[in-house]
Amino acid sequence: MKHIDEAALRLTATARWTTACLAALGAITATTQFASAQTAFTLPAPPFELPMLPSPSGNWTVMVGIGGEYKPQFVGSDNGRFLPIPIFSIRRAGSVDQFRGPRDSASIALLDVGNFRAGPAFKYVSSRKSDKYAELTGLGDVKAAYELGGFVEYYPVDWLRLRSELRQGMGGHTGTVADVSADVIVPLIQRLTVSAGPRFTWKSTKATAPYFGVDAVQAASSGLPAYDARGGAHSVGFGSQISYRINPHWEVHAYVEYEKLLGDAADSPLVKLKGSSNQTTIGLGASYSFDFRIR
């Protein structure tokens, strides 16, 4: 009966959250009917320019937004939680409005030439508190991590996007993370687009051990066997997204991302004994685009 009650509570919470998100997106859609002009402003020129990179001067288009995700409580968990998710990207004004995947880091396309884009990327990884979930008891806290790096993106044809990111962690982990993805992008009708494709993630030992390793002290406190987690292939997966552009400024989307943990992450006693290697994320979001100019 306990498991049935817990499942019912999760389904009720999911239904309430989905209803709230749809209501919020509906309100955003209604609000955009009153928007008649695009926000635009001018910033002063930067005090210096970086060598080997194009000048930042000129017109830029910024996309900002907010979304909500139902995702695992922590990487390797078989229970879910709801989280707000920020959306942010910058591109040269006048360039083609490029596809954005839900797993993309916040990024700025400093290079935007034809079918190729590249620039810096940033991802925030929230902290993991051992006293927040029973499965983490005795494993100690992991601080929030800040991953800084870059991305490259290429469209061999209009309907296929290839993207890779390489990021270096600071804070909760100090390792290296590489993400590779491909997305087939299909416009169903005007303004409505569906996309889907595979994902792959590689992580170094320093990016894996803080979350999946169990040292001697943690083993004694948690009851889990000691485990030395090493880096390597971290996960493979598949994602799908549906997006609707309300007008040139507003867009709403929904998506599902599935991730299968591999290697030492999947073999960790935290995952094998208390969690799951199957990780699924469901999300909704809305974003607004506007222009600004750098002198």
Short mmCIF file of all heavy atoms in Angstrom, two decimals, residues 89 197 229-230:
data_model
loop_
_atom_site.label_atom_id
_atom_site.label_comp_id
_atom_site.label_asym_id
_atom_site.label_seq_id
_atom_site.Cartn_x
_atom_site.Cartn_y
_atom_site.Cartn_z
N SER A 89 20.75 32.45 -24.68
CA SER A 89 21.69 32.34 -25.79
C SER A 89 21.79 33.69 -26.50
O SER A 89 20.89 34.52 -26.39
CB SER A 89 21.26 31.25 -26.80
OG SER A 89 20.10 31.63 -27.49
N GLY A 197 17.06 13.22 -31.70
CA GLY A 197 18.38 12.72 -32.05
C GLY A 197 19.12 12.13 -30.87
O GLY A 197 18.67 12.20 -29.72
N ALA A 229 35.48 5.44 -8.41
CA ALA A 229 34.87 5.76 -9.71
C ALA A 229 35.85 6.46 -10.62
O ALA A 229 36.45 7.47 -10.25
CB ALA A 229 33.63 6.63 -9.50
N ARG A 230 36.01 5.93 -11.81
CA ARG A 230 36.90 6.52 -12.81
C ARG A 230 36.10 7.15 -13.95
O ARG A 230 34.92 6.86 -14.14
CB ARG A 230 37.82 5.42 -13.39
CG ARG A 230 38.69 4.75 -12.35
CD ARG A 230 39.81 5.67 -11.91
NE ARG A 230 40.72 5.03 -10.96
CZ ARG A 230 41.81 5.60 -10.47
NH1 ARG A 230 42.14 6.83 -10.88
NH2 ARG A 230 42.57 4.97 -9.61
#
